[in-house]
Amino acid sequence: MYPLRRNRRLRTNEAIRALVRENNITPNDFLVPLFVVEGMGVKEEIASMPNYYRFSLDLLYMEVKALWAMGLKSVLLFVKVPDKLKDNAGTEALNEKGLMQRAIQTVKDACPDMLVMTDVALDPYSSFGHDGIVEEGIILNDETSELLAEMAVSHAEAGADFVAPSDMMDGRIGVIREALEDEGFIDVGIMSYSAKYASAFYGPFRDALDSAPGFGDKKTYQMDYANRFEALRETEMDIDEGADIVMVKPGMPYLDIVREVKNEFDVPVAVYQVSGEYSMIKAAAEKGWLDHDQTMMESTMAFKRAGADIIASYFAKDIVKLLS
Ligand code: PBG
């Protein structure tokens, strides 16, 4: 009881605060998203994501080496597919010499021990900008899952350590797991986007990959942001179907979901601080309205406090620089 207990004693100076700090941020916490494009010598800044770039394979190679030297040991790959290669059947997604397949090999050439995770979804390959095969305005579920499984196997053949299905079709984790087992990829893991909400915070990412839906929205497969119990149902199903890691996405507006998933399940929990969250901090900092580094660190620590084991973040490099 006050005054015998004075909580401020433990906040008197940085040494005592550090000693009693409940969470810490280290380079081991991060998954670094990387955007890849065709070409040579290409490093283009994404207009709505200041200081974030699309790399051609030669510069991806250099970037991966730089990340490794900083202690960042896991990447999550996304590709920007030329329009002429997009269709409604994911043809290019299965091309064994496709951009994703070459990007995987490039990362492994640069740093054999870098953990490579790949985005598994059709939207960057889709002429409709949707995560699945479209028929008369409907996103087909089971047909899409079969295609995603083939895509996952193709990524595994190219050397991916983990596949990360971000599509939200029902039952796709089971279909992907079985396909990987059948092809002998028993050690290739699955990080499932389990609780992925239909969110306006993905806007800048869709600019980065030119992957915005051509009609409608993604609300028939991504989750309604009004829902909480649904996130637990989705996560439970993915774990039952064989997900090794589950993910909540977006991040900051969904910390309650991160905490619930962490409390409920015993597999590692990832959170994705998505493009719009990054862009908000960058924009406010550019205007001088928020302190960039402090808000970046505070939002990242919030994920740790909420229970995230893994953080996918466009700030990963900035954070590690600041830590060292
Ligand atoms: C696509 C995918 C998206 C993101 C990751 N994978 C966009 C979407 O679902 O429309 C968003 C990532 C971000 O905003 O940073 N399947």
Side-chain angles (χ1 to χ4, degrees):
M1 254 332 163
Y2 177 84
L4 295 182
R5 174 166 298 283
R6 288 180 183 268
N7 293 332
R8 290 179 55 190
R9 279 183 207 121
L10 296 179
R11 299 179 206 138
T12 311
N13 55 52
E14 177 50 25
I16 186 64
R17 288 193 296 270
L19 199 62
V20 302
R21 190 160 291 140
E22 297 173 32
N23 291 286
N24 285 288
I25 297 169
T26 84
N28 294 334
D29 296 323
F30 295 103
L31 246 178
V32 184
L34 291 173
F35 298 119
V36 187
V37 283
E38 293 286 3
M40 277 285 283
V42 182
K43 179 181 178 184
E44 356 175 87
E45 191 173 36
I46 297 150
S48 50
M49 298 178 72
N51 201 34
Y52 221 78
Y53 302 87
R54 302 183 197 94
F55 295 101
S56 55
L57 293 175
D58 53 326
L59 297 189
L60 174 70
Y61 183 94
M62 309 298 288
E63 180 68 7
V64 164
K65 282 207 178 284
L67 294 173
W68 186 261
M70 297 173 75
L72 288 161
K73 297 190 284 288
S74 304
V75 295
L76 178 57
L77 300 180
F78 297 94
V79 290
K80 182 170 187 283
V81 180
D83 272 343
K84 61 178 190 303
L85 296 177
K86 297 185 183 186
D87 62 20
N88 189 29
T91 310
E92 181 57 18
L94 303 180
N95 178 356
E96 64 183 50
K97 296 201 170 57
L99 186 56
M100 176 61 92
Q101 288 77 357
R102 282 177 285 137
I104 296 164
Q105 286 155 1
T106 301
V107 177
K108 287 294 182 184
D109 287 346
C111 291
D113 295 325
M114 181 70 84
L115 189 87
V116 179
M117 296 199 182
T118 58
D119 187 62
V120 172
L122 286 181
D123 50 329
Y125 300 96
S126 163
S127 39
F128 291 109
H130 274 288
D131 290 43
I133 300 168
V134 180
E135 200 176 276
E136 291 173 16
I138 305 285
I139 317 303
L140 302 181
N141 192 87
D142 298 1
E143 292 81 350
T144 298
S145 294
E146 293 297 335
L147 198 56
L148 295 173
E150 285 184 59
M151 209 172 151
V153 168
S154 168
H155 294 180
E157 281 167 348
D161 299 292
F162 264 75
V163 292
S166 65
D167 56 289
M168 291 298 281
M169 296 303 117
D170 288 326
R172 90 280 204 211
I173 300 301
V175 178
I176 291 172
R177 186 68 265 161
E178 254 178 51
L180 290 171
E181 296 294 311
D182 286 348
E183 297 298 323
F185 294 110
I186 57 171
D187 288 328
V188 171
I190 302 177
M191 179 176 77
S192 171
Y193 289 64
S194 305
K196 178 172 178 178
Y197 287 86
S199 172
F201 287 99
Y202 306 149
F205 173 97
R206 294 175 186 169
D207 294 342
L209 295 190
D210 184 24
S211 62
F215 70 87
D217 51 39
K218 298 192 174 186
K219 290 180 182 170
T220 68
Y221 43 108
Q222 299 179 348
M223 287 173 46
D224 182 344
Y225 57 70
N227 297 350
R228 168 165 79 101
F229 298 117
E230 191 183 8
L232 298 176
R233 285 201 298 277
E234 283 281 1
T235 305
E236 186 172 28
M237 280 179 70
D238 285 2
I239 295 170
D240 287 346
E241 290 173 30
D244 301 282
I245 299 172
V246 295
M247 187 194 272
V248 175
K249 179 186 179 186
M252 263 225 288
Y254 297 84
L255 291 178
D256 55 329
I257 307 297
V258 175
R259 170 49 62 193
E260 289 214 55
V261 168
K262 181 66 186 170
N263 285 353
E264 197 75 20
F265 304 105
D266 58 6
V267 302
V269 178
V271 66
Y272 200 140
Q273 183 175 40
V274 302
S275 55
E277 301 176 60
Y278 173 87
S279 303
M280 282 197 298
I281 290 178
K282 288 288 176 190
E286 271 180 17
K287 281 194 166 276
W289 290 351
L290 286 177
D291 182 280
H292 178 272
D293 289 355
Q294 290 188 43
T295 50
M296 168 179 82
M297 295 310 272
E298 186 177 334
S299 64
T300 306
M301 190 63 90
F303 296 129
K304 300 284 310 238
R305 196 189 61 239
D309 301 292
I310 300 165
I311 304 166
S313 171
Y314 302 103
F315 285 119
K317 258 173 98 174
D318 290 348
I319 290 169
V320 171
K321 271 188 213 146
L322 203 64
L323 290 175
S324 58

